[in-house]
Amino acid sequence: MSAARHPVSSAQRAEQALRALIFDGELAPGSDHLESELAARLGLSRTPVREAVLLLEQQGLLEVRPRKGVRILQISPEDMREVYDVLTALESMAAEAAAEADHGADGLVRLHAALTQMDAAIARDDRKGWAAADDRFHGELVRLGGNRRVEEIVARMVDQVRRARMVTLYMREMPRQSNADHRAVYEAIRKADPEEAGRLHRRHRARARDELVALLKRLGLKSV
Amino acid sequence: MSAARHPVSSAQRAEQALRALIFDGELAPGSDHLESELAARLGLSRTPVREAVLLLEQQGLLEVRPRKGVRILQISPEDMREVYDVLTALESMAAEAAAEADHGADGLVRLHAALTQMDAAIARDDRKGWAAADDRFHGELVRLGGNRRVEEIVARMVDQVRRARMVTLYMREMPRQSNADHRAVYEAIRKADPEEAGRLHRRHRARARDELVALLKRLGLKSV
DNA sequence: GGCGAGATCAATGCATGCATTAATCAATTC
DNA sequence: GAATTGATTAATGCATGCATTGATCTCGCC
């Protein structure tokens, strides 16, 4: 998203590296890891790793437990409900704002591109491709909303969703309904109808939340 | 909010101390401060101060500028609009959830207490007292909503509002309208009417946002 | 007199070392 | 045999030191 500002510090690389390890599942949810172990793994000293760990703790990805190492946090269905409720509230507001701003079809090219990419991915039965395009759609929607703080908060929440999706992506039907929802939201924004855009997006996220929470509960309580 | 867990680390004390300095205005918005200077001021070494600074940066209170020290962030009217929009979306959702949960009048004692304290403060023309009670009302409302993540995000946003209020608190009428709003929201929650509670709260925050942004613009662009 | 290049300065970012202290293990006693 | 207390271990939290490198200041040249 943001270009490399300064030389790129080791702490920043540590943060990115740890995020990657967490999202790839190499640091499993619920597992403990010593700072020194992580530092050795990344080929750094403890200091930048410690800084990265503190940031990731504040981001809700892990927890520092004073003598027991850092624990990668697990996400319960209840957590997922919380995350989705935050997303519902903020994204639907963003959708309203985007519709009010009345971007022409020009300003919505990226949003539309994400739509067609999702369709294409579904046709190919490419779940990862669909997920990536879905992320782009939601990211662009929020960007169009014109509220930086909303962008940042949503990005954090999406991190959590991403982890749950690792598990669920292959355990359900291809999300055709979801795509119809997206297209309807896009149309409302293009027609500059804020009320409709907000209402449709709210319904979309509520549906997704209910599906995901039900699925998670059907499995075991604690998952990625 | 949460009790002291472990012995309380120096880094945590540094974070709290820096927050206090910022909110008291001793570290002025827009001012720069070297890490070593802050460390000396707090009687600590640079390490825990640096950790605290990194956390506060992520909380949006300051910015680390590699060779120029940490800069205490200023808040523009546009920033305030963003903050209030986030608060509007999340708190009104919390109000809905609180109404749905149908807490009896028993479960709402703290919310009601905040109300009466706000009334009393207005009668005394005690602006700081009113502000403190207002914080309690909003904090309790969000707690009743039953979403930890919303609580945390709202707390961050309230930090920003607090800084702007330092400037504006004495520059406007006593907020009687605001209190009527609060009472109406309380009543809707007590009557377990989610739609009403959400609608009323949304209107309340929108009003507060418009007043504050207008006031800030009437002064100068960048304020606390 | 103004502008540019080079040297000096200093703040950060990182590594390292140490003290603190929680957790584990063992030994002794009941 | 179990439990409690003491000793040992080791991970964290903090302090300190150093290298890197951006910023500033000076000197020289145009």
Side-chain angles (χ1 to χ4, degrees):
Chain A
M1 192 63 72
S2 60
R5 308 181 175 198
H6 293 288
V8 174
S9 73
S10 290
Q12 286 171 17
R13 277 185 295 124
E15 186 185 347
Q16 290 311 112
L18 288 177
R19 289 177 67 88
L21 288 174
I22 291 172
F23 289 130
D24 290 353
E26 298 211 40
L27 299 180
S31 61
D32 295 329
H33 308 273
L34 299 179
E35 287 181 5
S36 46
E37 171 201 329
L38 294 174
R41 191 160 176 172
L42 301 182
L44 295 167
S45 83
R46 276 179 50 225
T47 304
V49 172
R50 180 175 170 77
E51 289 178 359
V53 160
L54 289 173
L55 295 183
L56 293 173
E57 177 176 42
Q58 206 173 217
Q59 291 171 21
L61 290 179
L62 50 82
E63 179 189 14
V64 176
R65 312 197 317 158
R67 298 275 159 176
K68 306 188 176 176
V70 301
R71 168 159 295 180
I72 311 301
L73 286 185
Q74 297 177 322
I75 304 195
S76 69
E78 169 65 9
D79 287 321
M80 267 299 130
R81 183 196 61 79
E82 290 198 7
V83 167
Y84 266 85
D85 282 349
V86 172
L87 286 174
T88 300
L90 295 183
E91 285 184 352
S92 59
M93 183 179 71
E96 286 176 24
E100 268 165 21
D102 197 6
H103 305 275
D106 295 350
L108 304 180
V109 280
R110 297 162 73 97
L111 197 64
H112 191 266
L115 267 184
T116 59
Q117 285 158 3
M118 278 192 277
D119 283 339
I122 286 186
R124 274 180 286 129
D125 205 66
D126 172 9
R127 291 174 134 83
K128 284 196 175 177
W130 175 85
D134 183 57
D135 285 348
R136 280 196 293 277
F137 182 87
H138 287 271
E140 179 64 11
L141 173 65
V142 158
R143 203 185 61 76
L144 292 169
N147 186 322
R148 294 278 181 94
R149 285 165 172 84
V150 168
E151 277 188 71
E152 284 166 23
I153 298 165
V154 164
R156 290 260 194 78
M157 297 298 129
V158 167
D159 282 346
Q160 312 262 33
V161 172
R162 215 191 305 276
R163 296 172 66 194
R165 203 170 49 194
M166 285 175 20
V167 173
T168 61
L169 191 55
Y170 291 93
M171 307 193 68
R172 53 173 180 168
E173 294 293 305
M174 282 296 280
R176 298 178 201 285
Q177 172 65 54
S178 191
N179 252 35
D181 288 356
H182 288 139
R183 196 165 287 279
V185 171
Y186 166 79
E187 287 300 337
I189 293 174
R190 196 180 55 73
K191 288 185 299 185
D193 184 342
E195 197 276 330
E196 176 91 343
R199 193 175 55 76
L200 287 175
H201 193 81
R202 205 180 311 274
R203 202 184 55 184
H204 164 54
R205 273 303 196 190
R207 245 197 308 241
R209 175 198 61 200
D210 293 343
E211 277 180 26
L212 181 61
V213 170
L215 180 56
L216 287 179
K217 281 194 172 158
R218 219 179 307 139
L219 305 173
L221 266 180
K222 290 180 174 178
S223 60
V224 175
Chain B
M1 192 61 70
S2 60
R5 308 178 174 198
H6 292 289
V8 175
S9 73
S10 289
Q12 287 171 16
R13 278 185 294 122
E15 186 185 348
Q16 289 312 110
L18 289 176
R19 289 176 66 89
L21 288 175
I22 291 172
F23 289 130
D24 291 353
E26 298 212 40
L27 298 180
S31 62
D32 295 329
H33 307 272
L34 298 179
E35 286 181 5
S36 46
E37 172 201 330
L38 294 175
R41 191 162 177 170
L42 301 182
L44 295 167
S45 84
R46 275 180 50 222
T47 305
V49 172
R50 181 176 168 78
E51 289 179 357
V53 160
L54 288 173
L55 294 182
L56 293 173
E57 178 175 42
Q58 206 174 219
Q59 291 172 20
L61 289 180
L62 50 82
E63 179 189 14
V64 176
R65 312 197 317 158
R67 298 276 158 175
K68 305 188 179 178
V70 301
R71 168 160 295 180
I72 312 302
L73 285 186
Q74 297 178 323
I75 304 196
S76 68
E78 169 65 10
D79 287 321
M80 267 300 129
R81 183 195 62 77
E82 289 198 8
V83 167
Y84 266 84
D85 281 349
V86 172
L87 286 174
T88 300
L90 295 183
E91 285 185 351
S92 59
M93 182 179 71
E96 286 176 25
E100 268 164 22
D102 198 4
H103 306 276
D106 297 349
L108 303 180
V109 280
R110 297 161 72 96
L111 198 65
H112 191 266
L115 267 184
T116 59
Q117 286 158 3
M118 278 191 277
D119 283 340
I122 286 186
R124 274 180 286 128
D125 205 66
D126 173 10
R127 290 172 135 84
K128 283 197 175 173
W130 176 84
D134 183 57
D135 284 349
R136 279 196 292 278
F137 182 86
H138 286 272
E140 178 65 11
L141 172 65
V142 157
R143 203 186 60 77
L144 291 169
N147 186 322
R148 293 280 180 93
R149 283 165 174 83
V150 168
E151 277 188 70
E152 284 167 22
I153 298 166
V154 164
R156 289 263 194 78
M157 296 298 129
V158 167
D159 282 347
Q160 313 262 35
V161 172
R162 216 190 305 276
R163 296 172 68 196
R165 203 170 48 193
M166 283 176 18
V167 173
T168 61
L169 191 56
Y170 291 93
M171 307 194 68
R172 53 173 181 168
E173 295 292 303
M174 283 296 280
R176 298 177 200 285
Q177 172 64 53
S178 189
N179 250 36
D181 288 355
H182 289 139
R183 194 166 290 279
V185 171
Y186 167 79
E187 286 300 336
I189 293 175
R190 197 180 56 71
K191 288 186 299 185
D193 185 342
E195 197 275 331
E196 177 91 342
R199 193 174 55 76
L200 288 175
H201 194 80
R202 206 179 311 273
R203 202 183 56 182
H204 164 55
R205 274 304 196 189
R207 245 196 308 241
R209 176 199 61 200
D210 292 344
E211 277 180 26
L212 182 61
V213 170
L215 180 57
L216 287 179
K217 282 193 172 159
R218 219 177 308 137
L219 306 174
L221 266 180
K222 289 179 173 175
S223 62
V224 175

